[in-house]
Amino acid sequence: MDRVSYIWSEEELEILRENYGNILVKDIKLLLPKRGYSAVRHMIRKLGLHLVNNLRRYSIQKEFFKVYSEINCYVAGFIAADGCVSKNRMSLTLSNKDRHILDYMKDHMKYTNTIKVRGNYSTLAFNSYEMVEDLLENFNITERKSKTLMPPNILDDSLKKYFIKGLIDGDGSVGQDRV
């Protein structure tokens, strides 16, 4: 394969920009016959394209972390303690004996995908750029939260206790130098 084939034409990039979020990636791939599925996904990430509608196989309440509530403060605290957050993805893995916590979160987020079970562990994972942005903006939860975690921006004292409860439930302990 010659090196020129690695360079995307402006026409191909425009096909991505116009169609991402309107049709499934596998269908976009059909519009780009010279590109493989992995190449299309890579270029979508490289261009920083995000879904602007609900064209997903599974649905989730994307506004879950937008407005403070007792439930989302608790969930955010739990994620701060034990979750994994990246650019547009959040995941939380717990022992199967704590699966009920993941079910609780899944139900309140109105997530229609299943919780994955592997061996003794269950994982709740989803992609949502909007939710990850709200976790950062409202709760100061970043990708490298174990090194950067700051108190959340919750002004209502009655809601702060739900965040702290989630933090303690997620971590399972309170120490002199950390909660």
Side-chain angles (χ1 to χ4, degrees), residues 155-167:
L155 299 176
D156 183 344
D157 287 340
S158 67
L159 293 175
K160 289 178 184 177
K161 65 184 176 188
Y162 291 96
F163 182 87
I164 293 168
K165 181 176 179 1
L167 196 63

Side-chain angles (χ1 to χ4, degrees), residues 23 35 42 44 47-48 52 89 101 117 139 143 159 163 174:
I23 62 175
R35 302 294 173 182
H42 174 75
I44 287 168
L47 292 172
V52 292
R89 184 169 176 77
I101 297 169
V117 178
F139 299 98
E143 287 186 52
L159 293 175
F163 182 87
V174 176

Side-chain angles (χ1 to χ4, degrees), residues 16-68:
L16 274 181
R17 288 184 192 108
E18 286 179 3
N19 291 290
Y20 186 67
N22 297 319
I23 62 175
L24 297 172
V25 174
K26 67 178 185 165
D27 295 328
I28 294 173
K29 195 306 189 193
L30 296 175
L31 301 173
L32 300 166
K34 294 180 181 178
R35 302 294 173 182
Y37 184 80
S38 295
V40 171
R41 295 291 307 161
H42 174 75
M43 187 53 71
I44 287 168
R45 283 191 303 278
K46 186 174 178 183
L47 292 172
L49 299 177
H50 304 290
L51 288 176
V52 292
N53 62 20
N54 286 327
L55 186 65
R56 298 168 183 256
R57 195 176 303 157
Y58 305 105
S59 63
I60 192 164
Q61 183 185 352
K62 293 187 298 186
E63 301 80 22
F64 183 75
F65 295 110
K66 181 134 334 258
V67 178
Y68 297 112

Side-chain angles (χ1 to χ4, degrees), residues 142-160:
T142 66
E143 287 186 52
R144 291 174 175 72
K145 62 184 174 33
S146 60
K147 302 211 183 288
T148 63
L149 188 62
M150 299 293 291
N153 299 323
I154 304 169
L155 299 176
D156 183 344
D157 287 340
S158 67
L159 293 175
K160 289 178 184 177

Side-chain angles (χ1 to χ4, degrees), residues 101-169:
I101 297 169
L102 297 178
D103 287 325
Y104 171 85
M105 292 177 186
K106 177 182 176 271
D107 291 345
H108 282 88
M109 291 179 189
K110 296 180 173 62
Y111 189 38
T112 59
N113 197 358
T114 59
I115 293 172
K116 306 292 187 263
V117 178
R118 288 187 181 89
N120 295 328
Y121 296 95
S122 296
T123 301
L124 172 65
F126 55 85
N127 294 321
S128 175
Y129 177 78
E130 298 87 356
M131 291 176 83
V132 170
E133 285 294 306
D134 289 338
L135 281 170
L136 172 62
E137 187 175 319
N138 294 332
F139 299 98
N140 292 319
I141 297 173
T142 66
E143 287 186 52
R144 291 174 175 72
K145 62 184 174 33
S146 60
K147 302 211 183 288
T148 63
L149 188 62
M150 299 293 291
N153 299 323
I154 304 169
L155 299 176
D156 183 344
D157 287 340
S158 67
L159 293 175
K160 289 178 184 177
K161 65 184 176 188
Y162 291 96
F163 182 87
I164 293 168
K165 181 176 179 1
L167 196 63
I168 293 170
D169 284 355

